[in-house]
Amino acid sequence: MGFKESSVLLISPGCVLLPSFLWQCADSVLLSQSKSEHLVAAGAFTLAGETAYVAQWNFKNQTWATLGSPADVPGPATALSTDSNNESKIWLAGTSTTDVPYLLFWNGTTWADVNDGVLVSGSGVQQLVFVPLSTNHRAEALIEKDRMLLVSGDLTINSTSISSALFDGETWYPYLVSSTATGSAGVISQLFYSITNFSLSKGTLVLPRAG
């Protein structure tokens, strides 16, 4: 099969093929396209013979590059989101090789751990997505005041099972709780909103899958 040099091929299950680069097949591959010539890829793969969990493809130069030091990302990534208002900002979640959940923020130069122990062991993040707010929040250091980061999966915050929580860059706000048919804690893997204005008190969310 032939393809143009700037093509991205998604090969099921969980493989991505680009010029001079082949993912090791995994359960999931995370891709985030910024507005410019970059594509951010995350998961668990081999880059230049070394294990990596996040990398950036430059369509202009046709090259891969790691973001920061590989040691700054402690394990396979399970969720990825780029800031559409500032493409140098990247959010990454996953679980370390010692089974500790992490939430990292890339400011264009370095990674910072912003979890601060809130998501405890056993938590698993499956989606990071920005949602707009009808009322601005006060914390603006990491996230713009007119939106928050919606974190979904199987979360444990303050000893409580949560399926989705909102994060403004400083404070966590538990938002959704789900359960299975047997009453045990559920998991939300994907969410999307269907209205223009999203708030903590009012919103319409469609749940593609929870279980």
Side-chain angles (χ1 to χ4, degrees):
M1 178 178 2
F3 59 96
K4 295 182 180 180
E5 204 173 28
S6 61
S7 299
V8 178
L9 297 182
L10 302 182
I11 306 173
S12 181
C15 293
V16 173
L17 180 64
L18 281 167
S20 303
F21 181 87
L22 176 65
W23 285 82
Q24 290 182 323
C25 294
D27 291 336
S28 63
V29 171
L30 311 169
L31 299 173
S32 183
Q33 173 72 58
S34 65
K35 294 179 181 178
S36 65
E37 68 273 12
H38 297 112
L39 176 79
V40 180
F45 49 92
T46 300
L47 181 62
E50 300 291 336
T51 299
Y53 303 121
V54 61
Q56 187 176 69
W57 172 258
N58 188 310
F59 285 102
K60 183 178 180 180
N61 299 328
Q62 298 286 290
T63 56
W64 282 101
T66 57
L67 295 175
S69 170
D72 291 337
V73 181
T78 57
L80 167 71
S81 182
T82 54
D83 189 334
S84 59
N85 290 341
N86 186 339
E87 62 188 36
S88 66
K89 294 182 178 181
I90 300 170
W91 295 80
L92 189 70
T95 303
S96 73
T97 55
T98 57
D99 201 32
V100 176
Y102 66 80
L103 177 63
L104 302 178
F105 169 70
W106 174 259
N107 62 7
T109 305
T110 59
W111 289 105
D113 184 355
V114 295
N115 179 35
D116 198 24
V118 174
L119 298 175
V120 300
S121 181
S123 295
V125 178
Q126 297 196 25
Q127 185 187 37
L128 299 173
V129 61
F130 285 99
V131 291
L133 301 176
S134 60
T135 302
N136 292 343
H137 64 79
R138 296 180 179 179
E140 299 179 42
L142 302 181
I143 300 175
E144 293 86 348
K145 62 183 178 181
D146 59 348
R147 58 184 182 162
M148 288 189 185
L149 186 67
L150 181 66
V151 182
S152 298
D154 179 13
L155 316 177
T156 301
I157 300 175
N158 294 329
S159 301
T160 302
S161 295
I162 304 293
S163 300
S164 290
L166 290 158
F167 181 58
D168 65 7
E170 294 181 2
T171 304
W172 290 83
Y173 303 89
Y175 187 71
L176 291 175
V177 175
S178 66
S179 63
T180 65
T182 60
S184 59
V187 178
I188 292 180
S189 61
Q190 297 288 321
L191 283 172
F192 65 91
Y193 59 91
S194 59
I195 58 175
T196 301
N197 294 320
F198 181 96
S199 72
L200 295 174
S201 60
K202 181 179 180 181
T204 301
L205 292 172
V206 181
L207 312 184
R209 179 166 67 89

